[in-house]
Amino acid sequence: MQREHHKRKPGRPKASRSSQTMTQILRTASFLFMEHGYEKVSLVTVAQSCGLTKASVYYYFNNKAVLFTECLLLVLKIAHDQTASIMSGSGSLQHRLLTVAQRFMSNAHIEFESMMREASTELTEEQVGSIRTAEQALHILLKDIFQRAIDEGEIAECDPMLLSHVFTAMLTVRNRKEVINEQKSVDQAAEEVIQLLWRGLAPRQ
Amino acid sequence: MQREHHKRKPGRPKASRSSQTMTQILRTASFLFMEHGYEKVSLVTVAQSCGLTKASVYYYFNNKAVLFTECLLLVLKIAHDQTASIMSGSGSLQHRLLTVAQRFMSNAHIEFESMMREASTELTEEQVGSIRTAEQALHILLKDIFQRAIDEGEIAECDPMLLSHVFTAMLTVRNRKEVINEQKSVDQAAEEVIQLLWRGLAPRQ
Amino acid sequence: MQREHHKRKPGRPKASRSSQTMTQILRTASFLFMEHGYEKVSLVTVAQSCGLTKASVYYYFNNKAVLFTECLLLVLKIAHDQTASIMSGSGSLQHRLLTVAQRFMSNAHIEFESMMREASTELTEEQVGSIRTAEQALHILLKDIFQRAIDEGEIAECDPMLLSHVFTAMLTVRNRKEVINEQKSVDQAAEEVIQLLWRGLAPRQ
Amino acid sequence: MQREHHKRKPGRPKASRSSQTMTQILRTASFLFMEHGYEKVSLVTVAQSCGLTKASVYYYFNNKAVLFTECLLLVLKIAHDQTASIMSGSGSLQHRLLTVAQRFMSNAHIEFESMMREASTELTEEQVGSIRTAEQALHILLKDIFQRAIDEGEIAECDPMLLSHVFTAMLTVRNRKEVINEQKSVDQAAEEVIQLLWRGLAPRQ
DNA sequence: AATGAATGAGTGTTCATTCAT
DNA sequence: AATGAATGAACACTCATTCAT
């Protein structure tokens, strides 16, 4: 009889906190992984940073590799979306690249490739694959943009995929203390990097 | 190389050890650290790769942090000397940079900054400092070369130190599978990277 | 079956639970425990095998020890009843023993004593006691049957309780791969075991 | 020059204690495994029972599965050798079997098959195989003895391998409290079991 | 000069158990 | 009646480090 009133599912309803806790773990862990890499971040660190117990982290993520994978997918997705959003905006290509550079360089992170090398022995092939795919999506996005710019004569001819990698590699100067310091802000450094990339070293005659 | 650093006391291996075995450990460990990073390389791995026991490694190096420090100092010194040698040679600046790039890119290694971040929690400030100093020597070398080139109008005006960092950062594309593969050799990639750096993106009119 | 054990209070599931779900848990868990032993069967396995959650299992059984106890009591009662039913049937004693043997040997199960030893550190003395009682009921049943057979001269004189244990112990050969295989079926093995027990090794003159 | 005196190997000599510690671990662990099974025996228990640390156990045995395997191989070898020695002695077959039975029944142990089922998920196929081989060696030993006895008309015709398994299965009654107690010693029980096996149930006419 | 032995601290992972809903 | 969330205790395993020889 009660059942006819409102077919409420039995059991404790999934508290909205549930998803909140999970995303909090994801966010915290993402930050830690990007900051310190795979090995250095222990699950107890993640847990404590969230005010939880190790076992609670395991309640949401089956193991460290899974957590790591989801974190990277999240970070890469955000990076991809942000980049896409910025690049689809108005302004000159140079200016939009600068905006992307500033965005990327504003949050420190371990160089991607190093992190993957560190983690790859612990991840399944599938996990590595999914991360690689998400990473490539970002590079393909940039490559396509560069390709179009080349076609339209906006930039000089070159391998657009290589350019995409070089571009992101250049942004890692952000991590060097001699580059970013009291005298040179991140934004300023980004500007100079982009200018370097744009003009090249060749002297103007 | 050791005699050059007078202030270091901890971090310096016990004197009067058979330099034969010691340099072998150094070389082997250097290779392993550059290949896999700090954490991934256990002292037993180093020992076995030398045909020794863990305890023997401890006989020459007081602890892992000391060994790591000595390794990086060695690697950085070699890199510095090689670069200096190449850059002091003849040929155009662009060509000499290409040679340096090819040399660097030919042996895979974990991105330097990532490795330092990984290791830095285990190293003493002094150890970090000595590595940073050696690293900076390399960048100062490049900076000076770039500065002179700017002064002589060989390359466009820019922050030479930043340029030095950007230059080395660009070389890390070597680690990306999409860049180095069957279709593009390391030397070819190096060439394209240098060309990109030289010409920049701006379209020629 | 529960009503028969008045003295047990801990170890007895909360009253007035939907016997539907409860018996399903009991049946499923019994099977799993007999198949894999105490430790190997986690409550989450039991729950999932029933399409429930761990917490639901706890709703019916206060803890793992209680569930295990109830399972064994159930299994032992079934074994007892089946044996009683078979032995009270017609046919020669040897033939009825064969039927029992075939019944027992047809479903694989961990040797009883091993399972008890595994579980006993987690069970209360009371729980161990109740299981032992149920187990003994089975042996007493057999003992009485053997005693009567001895009295009636149907079998040779011997300690009937020991015989009961030897009889059940012999049936555990069922678990050995060298005994039960493609060439020898369970029923055939049972037959040979019973024949061995019946005739003994002594050569006939 | 020193080298010419006595080519002593460098390093600390393998203390005779070394092997002593190792065999002590083996003995202790064997006892514990036979007493409680695979899962129940944690390596910290083993270590403490030897007055060592967990890590020390790992110094001698790479992991729990390896330790377990070596323990079982040891136990099975001892059992095999003891049995062979006893069976090759003089006296009637019945009497020698009794001696074997008494020997086996005097030390309690978990039923072998149960232990293997418990452990097999953690062992490599190779490890399982080597244990199975050692186990089979014992059964083959018995089988051959039984076969010869059959050939010589010393015992009645039957499947000698099945007999071997039945024989060892019968000895597990040792674990039952109703069999071994204040009123019936192990030796006495062994005697009755052997008598049962020898004479069988069939009434003598 | 080199090594066998031993250890402490830490890591990932599992699981029975509790509690509010 | 049933469940989502959270936890503590245990376990297997690794590794840098020490010390007597």
Side-chain angles (χ1 to χ4, degrees):
Chain A
M1 0 228 107
Q2 249 207 11
R3 284 183 215 131
E4 296 170 52
H5 287 169
H6 45 355
K7 296 202 178 184
R8 193 164 64 82
K9 269 202 168 177
R12 178 171 176 175
K14 281 194 194 180
S16 63
R17 220 189 306 149
S18 145
S19 147
Q20 266 179 28
T21 306
M22 186 157 159
T23 54
Q24 192 210 350
I25 295 175
L26 265 179
R27 267 205 275 266
T28 308
S30 292
F31 176 77
L32 291 170
F33 281 134
M34 298 308 286
E35 186 85 5
H36 304 110
Y38 184 81
E39 306 265 17
K40 277 269 156 172
V41 176
S42 78
L43 288 196
V44 65
T45 309
V46 172
Q48 281 170 355
S49 302
C50 297
L52 293 173
T53 328
K54 221 183 348 173
S56 300
V57 176
Y58 274 93
Y59 178 73
Y60 291 98
F61 300 92
N62 282 326
N63 52 47
K64 191 180 180 182
V66 165
L67 176 60
F68 179 77
T69 304
E70 300 222 9
C71 282
L72 281 218
L73 292 183
L74 174 65
V75 167
L76 286 170
K77 177 162 173 36
I78 291 175
H80 179 277
D81 291 354
Q82 278 192 356
T83 305
S85 157
I86 293 171
M87 294 308 294
S88 72
S90 64
S92 69
L93 177 59
Q94 185 183 1
H95 190 263
R96 281 174 289 151
L97 285 178
L98 173 59
T99 311
V100 169
Q102 286 170 343
R103 186 66 59 94
F104 267 65
M105 287 171 69
S106 62
N107 33 333
H109 50 68
I110 289 225
E111 204 253 345
F112 197 82
E113 214 52 38
S114 301
M115 188 157 56
M116 285 307 290
R117 200 176 313 190
E118 196 191 352
S120 62
T121 61
E122 325 265 342
L123 304 186
T124 67
E125 281 191 31
E126 208 175 340
Q127 289 167 335
V128 172
S130 68
I131 297 178
R132 288 289 179 207
T133 304
E135 187 202 1
Q136 229 175 356
L138 183 55
H139 282 295
I140 288 175
L141 173 68
L142 287 171
K143 185 204 71 176
D144 289 346
I145 288 168
F146 289 135
Q147 183 65 61
R148 212 171 315 131
I150 293 171
D151 292 346
E152 297 176 0
E154 203 173 357
I155 62 174
E157 194 110 1
C158 68
D159 176 345
M161 187 49 120
L162 179 75
L163 175 52
S164 165
H165 281 280
V166 167
F167 174 63
T168 52
M170 288 171 93
L171 305 185
T172 64
V173 297
R174 192 255 114 101
N175 295 319
R176 327 247 179 145
K177 295 233 176 60
E178 298 85 25
V179 170
I180 306 297
N181 48 32
E182 315 82 38
Q183 294 162 34
K184 193 169 286 188
S185 71
V186 172
D187 279 6
Q188 202 175 336
E191 208 162 314
E192 293 188 33
V193 168
I194 292 298
Q195 225 168 65
L196 205 47
L197 173 65
W198 202 259
R199 296 211 287 229
L201 294 182
R204 268 127 277 164
Q205 64 285 49
Chain B
M1 163 182 149
Q2 288 169 48
R3 287 182 214 124
E4 294 174 357
H5 305 274
H6 295 294
K7 303 150 218 164
R8 241 174 331 110
K9 188 128 115 249
R12 181 168 185 174
K14 298 152 190 167
S16 79
R17 303 298 195 202
S18 142
S19 78
Q20 185 77 342
T21 309
M22 184 157 150
T23 51
Q24 194 210 350
I25 295 176
L26 266 180
R27 268 207 273 266
T28 309
S30 293
F31 176 77
L32 291 170
F33 281 135
M34 298 307 287
E35 185 85 6
H36 304 112
Y38 184 81
E39 304 267 14
K40 279 264 148 134
V41 176
S42 75
L43 289 195
V44 66
T45 309
V46 172
Q48 281 170 354
S49 302
C50 297
L52 294 173
T53 10
K54 233 188 326 181
S56 300
V57 176
Y58 273 93
Y59 179 71
Y60 289 99
F61 301 92
N62 281 324
N63 53 46
K64 191 180 180 180
V66 166
L67 175 60
F68 179 77
T69 304
E70 296 285 331
C71 282
L72 282 217
L73 292 182
L74 174 64
V75 167
L76 286 169
K77 171 149 180 46
I78 291 174
H80 178 277
D81 291 354
Q82 277 193 356
T83 306
S85 157
I86 293 171
M87 295 308 293
S88 72
S90 64
S92 70
L93 177 60
Q94 185 182 359
H95 191 263
R96 281 174 290 152
L97 285 178
L98 174 59
T99 311
V100 169
Q102 286 169 342
R103 187 66 60 94
F104 267 66
M105 287 170 70
S106 62
N107 35 332
H109 50 67
I110 291 228
E111 206 254 344
F112 195 83
E113 215 52 37
S114 300
M115 190 156 56
M116 285 307 291
R117 203 175 308 195
E118 196 191 352
S120 62
T121 61
E122 326 264 342
L123 304 184
T124 68
E125 280 192 32
E126 214 171 339
Q127 289 167 335
V128 173
S130 69
I131 297 177
R132 288 290 178 206
T133 303
E135 187 202 1
Q136 229 174 357
L138 183 56
H139 282 295
I140 289 174
L141 171 69
L142 287 171
K143 186 203 71 177
D144 289 347
I145 289 168
F146 288 136
Q147 183 64 62
R148 211 170 315 131
I150 293 170
D151 293 346
E152 298 177 359
E154 205 173 358
I155 61 174
E157 192 110 4
C158 67
D159 176 343
M161 188 48 120
L162 179 73
L163 176 53
S164 166
H165 281 280
V166 167
F167 174 64
T168 52
M170 288 172 94
L171 305 185
T172 64
V173 296
R174 191 254 114 100
N175 296 320
R176 327 245 179 147
K177 294 228 179 64
E178 296 87 25
V179 169
I180 306 296
N181 48 33
E182 316 83 38
Q183 294 163 34
K184 193 169 286 190
S185 72
V186 171
D187 280 5
Q188 204 175 337
E191 208 155 342
E192 294 188 31
V193 168
I194 292 298
Q195 225 168 66
L196 205 48
L197 174 64
W198 203 260
R199 296 210 286 226
L201 293 181
R204 269 128 276 163
Q205 62 287 47
Chain C
M1 164 186 148
Q2 287 169 46
R3 285 182 216 124
E4 295 173 358
H5 305 274
H6 296 293
K7 303 148 218 164
R8 245 175 328 111
K9 187 127 115 246
R12 180 168 184 176
K14 297 153 191 168
S16 80
R17 304 299 195 202
S18 141
S19 78
Q20 185 77 341
T21 309
M22 184 156 151
T23 51
Q24 194 210 349
I25 295 175
L26 266 179
R27 267 206 274 264
T28 309
S30 292
F31 176 77
L32 290 170
F33 281 135
M34 298 308 287
E35 186 84 6
H36 304 111
Y38 184 81
E39 305 267 15
K40 281 263 148 126
V41 176
S42 75
L43 288 196
V44 66
T45 308
V46 173
Q48 280 170 355
S49 302
C50 297
L52 294 173
T53 9
K54 234 188 326 181
S56 300
V57 175
Y58 273 93
Y59 179 73
Y60 289 99
F61 301 92
N62 281 325
N63 53 46
K64 191 179 179 182
V66 166
L67 175 60
F68 179 77
T69 305
E70 296 285 332
C71 283
L72 283 216
L73 292 182
L74 174 63
V75 167
L76 286 170
K77 171 147 179 48
I78 291 175
H80 179 277
D81 290 355
Q82 277 193 357
T83 306
S85 157
I86 293 170
M87 295 309 294
S88 72
S90 64
S92 70
L93 177 59
Q94 184 182 1
H95 191 263
R96 281 174 290 152
L97 284 179
L98 174 60
T99 310
V100 169
Q102 286 170 341
R103 186 66 59 95
F104 267 66
M105 287 171 69
S106 62
N107 35 333
H109 50 64
I110 292 228
E111 206 252 345
F112 195 84
E113 214 53 37
S114 301
M115 190 157 54
M116 284 308 290
R117 202 174 309 194
E118 195 191 355
S120 62
T121 62
E122 326 264 343
L123 305 185
T124 69
E125 280 192 33
E126 214 171 339
Q127 290 167 335
V128 172
S130 70
I131 297 176
R132 289 289 179 206
T133 304
E135 187 202 1
Q136 228 174 357
L138 182 56
H139 282 295
I140 288 175
L141 171 70
L142 287 171
K143 184 203 72 178
D144 288 347
I145 288 167
F146 288 135
Q147 183 63 62
R148 211 169 316 128
I150 293 170
D151 291 347
E152 297 177 359
E154 203 173 0
I155 62 174
E157 193 110 2
C158 66
D159 176 344
M161 187 49 119
L162 178 74
L163 176 53
S164 166
H165 281 280
V166 167
F167 173 64
T168 54
M170 288 173 93
L171 305 186
T172 64
V173 296
R174 191 254 115 100
N175 295 320
R176 327 244 180 149
K177 294 229 177 63
E178 296 87 25
V179 169
I180 306 296
N181 47 33
E182 315 82 39
Q183 294 164 33
K184 192 170 287 189
S185 72
V186 172
D187 279 6
Q188 204 175 336
E191 206 154 342
E192 293 188 33
V193 168
I194 292 298
Q195 224 167 67
L196 204 48
L197 173 64
W198 202 261
R199 296 210 286 229
L201 294 182
R204 269 127 276 164
Q205 63 285 51
Chain D
M1 2 230 106
Q2 248 208 11
R3 284 181 215 132
E4 296 171 54
H5 287 168
H6 44 356
K7 297 203 179 183
R8 193 166 63 83
K9 269 202 170 179
R12 177 171 175 174
K14 280 194 194 183
S16 63
R17 220 191 305 149
S18 146
S19 145
Q20 265 179 29
T21 306
M22 187 157 158
T23 52
Q24 192 210 351
I25 294 175
L26 265 179
R27 268 206 274 266
T28 309
S30 292
F31 176 77
L32 290 171
F33 281 135
M34 299 307 286
E35 185 84 6
H36 304 111
Y38 184 81
E39 305 265 17
K40 276 271 156 173
V41 177
S42 78
L43 288 197
V44 64
T45 309
V46 173
Q48 282 170 354
S49 303
C50 297
L52 293 173
T53 329
K54 217 185 350 174
S56 299
V57 177
Y58 276 94
Y59 178 73
Y60 290 98
F61 301 93
N62 282 325
N63 53 47
K64 191 178 179 181
V66 165
L67 175 60
F68 179 77
T69 303
E70 300 222 11
C71 282
L72 283 217
L73 291 182
L74 174 65
V75 167
L76 286 169
K77 176 161 173 38
I78 291 176
H80 179 278
D81 290 355
Q82 279 192 356
T83 306
S85 156
I86 293 172
M87 295 308 295
S88 72
S90 64
S92 71
L93 177 60
Q94 184 182 2
H95 190 262
R96 282 174 289 151
L97 284 178
L98 173 59
T99 311
V100 170
Q102 286 169 342
R103 186 65 60 94
F104 268 65
M105 287 171 68
S106 61
N107 33 333
H109 50 66
I110 289 222
E111 204 253 343
F112 197 82
E113 215 53 37
S114 301
M115 190 157 53
M116 284 307 290
R117 200 178 314 193
E118 195 190 353
S120 61
T121 62
E122 325 265 342
L123 305 185
T124 68
E125 280 192 32
E126 209 175 339
Q127 290 167 336
V128 173
S130 68
I131 298 177
R132 288 290 179 206
T133 304
E135 187 203 0
Q136 229 174 355
L138 183 56
H139 282 296
I140 289 175
L141 172 70
L142 287 172
K143 184 203 72 176
D144 288 346
I145 289 168
F146 288 136
Q147 183 65 61
R148 213 170 315 130
I150 293 171
D151 292 345
E152 298 177 358
E154 202 173 359
I155 62 174
E157 193 109 3
C158 66
D159 176 346
M161 188 48 121
L162 178 75
L163 175 52
S164 166
H165 281 280
V166 166
F167 173 63
T168 54
M170 289 173 91
L171 305 185
T172 64
V173 296
R174 192 254 114 104
N175 296 319
R176 328 246 179 145
K177 296 233 177 60
E178 297 86 25
V179 170
I180 307 297
N181 48 32
E182 315 82 38
Q183 294 163 34
K184 192 169 287 188
S185 73
V186 171
D187 279 7
Q188 203 175 337
E191 207 161 316
E192 293 188 32
V193 168
I194 292 298
Q195 225 167 66
L196 203 47
L197 173 65
W198 204 260
R199 296 210 287 229
L201 294 181
R204 271 127 277 164
Q205 63 283 50

